[in-house]
Amino acid sequence: MTVIQFTNLLEAEFDDLEPGTLKPDTDFRNLDEWSSLQALIIIALIDSEYDVALNDEDLSNISTIAELYELVKSKMV
Amino acid sequence: VIYVNAISFHLPQETLSNEAIISEYKEYGGLNETITPSTLYAQCGVKNRHICSFDDTTKDLGNKAAEALFEEWNIDKSTIDYIIFVSDALEYKGPTTACIMQHNLGLNQGIGAIDILHGCTGWVYGLSLAKALIVSQQASNVLLVTAETPTKVIHPIDTELRALFSDGAAATLVSDNTLKNGLNGSINNFILGTDGSGEKHLWTERSATREPADIEWLTQYKDLPTKLLWGRLRMKSSKIFLFALRKVPALIQQVLEKNDLEKEAIDFYVLHQANGTMLEFLRKKMKIPQEKFIITIEDTGNTVSSSIPLAMKNCMDRNVFKKGNTILVAGFGIGYSWGGTILKL
């Protein structure tokens, strides 16, 4: 998995995002489409694809997609 | 016109609270102290489930639901000319469970009897087949029985599954005539869908011909209340959550299109009562008003194929539905499988 693949995977789970909007340095917290529901979807996606279980707290400590990518990678076995 | 005339149900008497789930979890080796009754409730919106006794099977629950249907709606059972039994837990590899039910229920011998092995989409499949049988003039009064005993295949340590699933059965009469004082919802067009790549995301391992349970496998569970004699339910919940999130909104859209309806034309959405928290999530995502979206899972849990008829009956008993209402029903889950249709009262 590369950071680009990871970003594209996440982008596909946002309903109303123009393709290409999400980039590794995007602060996902500042997106209009970001919400507590969207956070749940992303947590489920990461668990489902990478077998990494994150919680709300993990997400609240980071802000960019690249940071999320690093966090997931560090937790992968 | 083909109608859903009437629905009745049977739930086993024994119930299981969130507190009891946790005490059994600890009794059988669970060590996670962060699991509490309120975290279980927050996960799925269920407070109580019904537990089938060790000796009863889905057929026993199904028979009771069918008897309740005849009694409650004053249905002459000699008019039944086809029985469909829907379950993931059949009596035998043979004979067909529906055949045995013909005898148990004292139905006529001149009837068709068939099992459908399906879970969460099972009631929708039953309606779809019943309608097809009646339209093709092979039957007029179809008895559709759904029954499931998921608690028999759940390990006490799997609190997520225990919190969710519940045993129960429902009986539905589908016919080409209206029934006096019946629900009489006409069955419209169906959408069905399948994605077998979900096989191992929700399944009962060691339950049948593929890798049957052997002595070694069974021995490890011999001290459990159910001994897991019928296999062990496994679920990857994040996969199921994403599956539902991707498929259900599309399914509902397709059902609307197939029936030439706008979203606003739907008075009530009665979906498979998979998980209360997830249903609420889906409702918000689809922007459906709360009063139109039926969630009745709190005291009955997820009864798999019986969850839609149970939710329907719950609404019928509370006089929620009115003549002229348009109801969208949809099932989704194990398979993966999904399907839905429109009932017009």
Side-chain angles (χ1 to χ4, degrees), chain B residues 130-279:
Chain B
K131 180 178 177 179
L133 288 166
I134 296 171
V135 167
S136 59
Q137 299 185 335
Q138 300 182 69
S140 296
N141 293 299
V142 179
L143 172 62
L144 165 63
V145 180
T146 50
E148 210 66 72
T149 55
T151 72
K152 287 179 181 245
V153 292
I154 297 174
H155 195 300
I157 204 124
D158 298 331
T159 54
E160 193 181 33
L161 297 175
R162 284 213 107 194
L164 211 53
F165 288 103
S166 180
D167 301 334
T172 306
L173 181 66
V174 181
S175 87
D176 54 7
N177 263 297
T178 56
L179 178 77
K180 199 182 162 204
N181 303 321
L183 174 73
N184 300 323
S186 66
I187 307 172
N188 290 263
N189 298 328
F190 285 85
I191 292 287
L192 294 170
T194 307
D195 176 7
S197 73
E199 175 189 355
K200 293 288 174 72
H201 302 147
L202 179 53
W203 64 303
T204 311
E205 68 174 20
R206 304 284 187 145
S207 60
T209 51
R210 169 78 49 191
E211 297 178 86
D214 53 22
I215 290 169
E216 191 189 351
W217 190 87
L218 286 167
T219 303
Q220 61 184 326
Y221 301 127
K222 67 180 180 3
D223 296 327
L224 298 179
T226 70
K227 307 178 196 298
L228 295 181
L229 291 175
W230 308 276
R232 181 172 181 178
L233 188 65
R234 300 284 192 180
M235 179 170 84
K236 176 81 176 161
S237 50
S238 59
K239 293 268 188 200
I240 299 297
F241 177 70
L242 287 172
F243 154 75
L245 218 64
R246 289 164 179 158
K247 283 293 174 216
V248 174
L251 167 64
I252 287 178
Q253 190 53 41
Q254 288 167 351
V255 172
L256 291 173
E257 283 167 16
K258 183 98 184 215
N259 288 281
D260 285 321
L261 289 170
E262 298 292 329
K263 199 179 158 195
E264 291 69 33
I266 303 300
D267 295 297
F268 295 101
Y269 292 81
V270 185
L271 271 56
H272 166 51
Q273 301 290 298
N275 171 324
T277 307
M278 189 181 75
L279 282 175

Side-chain angles (χ1 to χ4, degrees), chain B residues 22-82:
Chain B
I22 290 168
S23 73
E24 285 185 37
Y25 165 73
K26 290 182 174 157
E27 187 182 339
Y28 292 99
L31 297 172
N32 185 347
E33 294 289 337
T34 67
I35 302 174
T36 66
S38 59
T39 62
L40 291 182
Y41 182 73
Q43 261 170 35
C44 57
V46 183
K47 281 188 178 150
N48 260 301
R49 312 98 195 123
H50 292 261
I51 308 292
C52 179
S53 72
F54 186 84
D55 295 322
D56 279 348
T57 65
T58 57
K59 187 204 73 175
D60 300 323
L61 302 186
N63 279 340
K64 285 180 182 147
E67 297 284 9
L69 182 83
F70 301 150
E71 170 92 30
E72 182 178 358
W73 299 93
N74 202 16
I75 292 163
D76 175 3
K77 65 184 178 186
S78 72
T79 61
I80 303 295
D81 54 10
Y82 212 106

Side-chain angles (χ1 to χ4, degrees), chain A residues 4-42:
Chain A
I4 299 297
Q5 288 167 332
F6 181 77
T7 307
N8 293 339
L9 188 80
L10 257 60
E11 188 174 74
E13 291 304 327
F14 284 83
D15 274 349
D16 307 314
L17 220 50
E18 286 285 311
T21 310
L22 215 57
K23 299 198 167 59
D25 61 357
T26 305
D27 183 342
F28 53 85
R29 226 170 283 287
N30 284 339
L31 293 169
D32 288 343
E33 293 78 9
W34 186 253
S35 63
S36 57
L37 294 188
Q38 196 61 41
L40 262 179
I41 296 175
I42 297 305

